[in-house]
Amino acid sequence: MHINEEKSMKYYNIYGDDADYLYLGRESKPDIKLCPHCKMVLNRDEAIFQAAETVKWRKKKFFVTTYDGVNIASRHFYEIYHKHKMNGIEFIPFKKSEGYYICRFTNVASFDLEKAKQVRAEYEGKVTYGVIDNGTCAYCKRSKGHHHPWPYRMIESDEQKLEANTFYRSDIEFGEGNTQSPIIWATEDIVEAFKQEKCRIFYKIV
């Protein structure tokens, strides 16, 4: 696989349609363990994959993101991914909804906290520069999430190591409590492939 060592590759922040849906909701009935203090899910990854055995996915869309940060791909997305030899996603199929998959992004890049400090951010009346850290639960030690300003960039050293045709996820998650999710990045050739296939995928230049 070619790695561009001389000049960093162009990449984008991508995201799916809003599913208007909590993946770890009542319908999925997974064995969810909650922190007794902050009520955040302690076994999130385990519960997500467990629910894939029982959930009947009803959102017939190309690529969506749930309120609690789970990315779901259709068979069409899956086929394009393999046709164009993309990298960085493990697809977990729904047992009761053939043709739909949970996307597990396997490559992690570090969000650039230093560059973010140059950008003004405002949340719930608080004004600051850079990423707003909601802190951690004193009991379970899990992050309560972050709020971030634009742009959504990764650190320069990770930019220099980007591989062609590859998806990445940020090392920290954004949002609050059980509605946190990472930023998803994709290299330029992925965005061009989806354009070529005339498929709807949302993206922002970073």
Side-chain angles (χ1 to χ4, degrees), residues 101-117:
Y101 307 83
I102 298 167
C103 298
R104 189 173 80 85
F105 293 88
T106 57
N107 297 317
V108 180
S110 297
F111 185 89
D112 197 328
L113 294 169
E114 289 303 312
K115 283 183 181 175
K117 289 178 181 178

Side-chain angles (χ1 to χ4, degrees), residues 6-203:
E6 296 180 357
K7 185 178 180 181
S8 60
M9 201 173 295
K10 193 172 183 179
Y11 64 100
Y12 298 86
N13 163 218
I14 70 161
Y15 53 99
D17 270 307
D18 191 342
D20 297 324
Y21 184 91
L22 273 172
Y23 176 76
L24 294 177
R26 287 179 295 177
E27 182 187 350
S28 57
K29 298 183 176 64
D31 180 19
I32 296 176
K33 297 178 176 64
L34 299 177
C35 171
H37 290 260
C38 68
K39 306 303 179 184
M40 285 193 290
V41 178
L42 298 176
N43 61 331
R44 185 173 184 271
D45 288 345
E46 177 188 344
I48 287 170
F49 301 136
Q50 181 188 19
E53 298 291 313
T54 59
V55 164
K56 290 184 179 179
W57 186 251
R58 293 185 171 88
K59 298 288 183 180
K60 308 302 182 184
K61 293 188 177 182
F62 181 66
F63 180 67
V64 302
T65 304
T66 65
Y67 282 154
D68 41 359
V70 180
N71 293 286
I72 311 292
S74 64
R75 178 180 283 129
H76 194 189
F77 183 106
Y78 176 89
E79 290 171 346
I80 292 171
Y81 175 95
H82 289 286
K83 175 183 175 181
H84 290 270
K85 296 181 171 59
M86 299 175 187
N87 302 283
I89 302 178
E90 177 187 354
F91 293 93
I92 295 92
F94 283 101
K95 188 174 182 179
K96 294 186 176 181
S97 298
E98 186 178 353
Y100 286 89
Y101 307 83
I102 298 167
C103 298
R104 189 173 80 85
F105 293 88
T106 57
N107 297 317
V108 180
S110 297
F111 185 89
D112 197 328
L113 294 169
E114 289 303 312
K115 283 183 181 175
K117 289 178 181 178
Q118 303 170 24
V119 183
R120 184 180 185 272
E122 184 173 350
Y123 177 70
E124 291 187 344
K126 299 176 183 177
V127 177
T128 185
Y129 283 83
V131 171
I132 299 173
D133 189 338
N134 296 327
T136 58
C137 172
Y139 185 83
C140 70
K141 308 302 182 186
R142 292 180 67 84
S143 170
K144 294 180 180 178
H146 305 78
H147 292 275
H148 53 84
W150 182 265
Y152 314 144
R153 297 200 69 91
M154 60 181 74
I155 60 174
E156 189 172 340
S157 59
D158 281 346
E159 290 179 338
Q160 297 297 329
K161 294 184 291 186
L162 288 176
E163 297 183 355
N165 236 18
T166 302
F167 290 90
Y168 296 84
R169 57 158 287 170
S170 60
D171 58 331
I172 57 178
E173 296 196 347
F174 298 88
E176 293 183 5
N178 290 321
T179 59
Q180 297 181 59
S181 60
I183 289 171
I184 304 301
W185 292 298
T187 50
E188 183 176 24
D189 38 11
I190 288 175
V191 172
E192 291 304 316
F194 283 116
K195 286 181 181 177
Q196 178 185 326
E197 297 287 347
K198 295 180 171 56
C199 290
R200 176 170 172 164
I201 190 165
F202 299 102
Y203 64 92

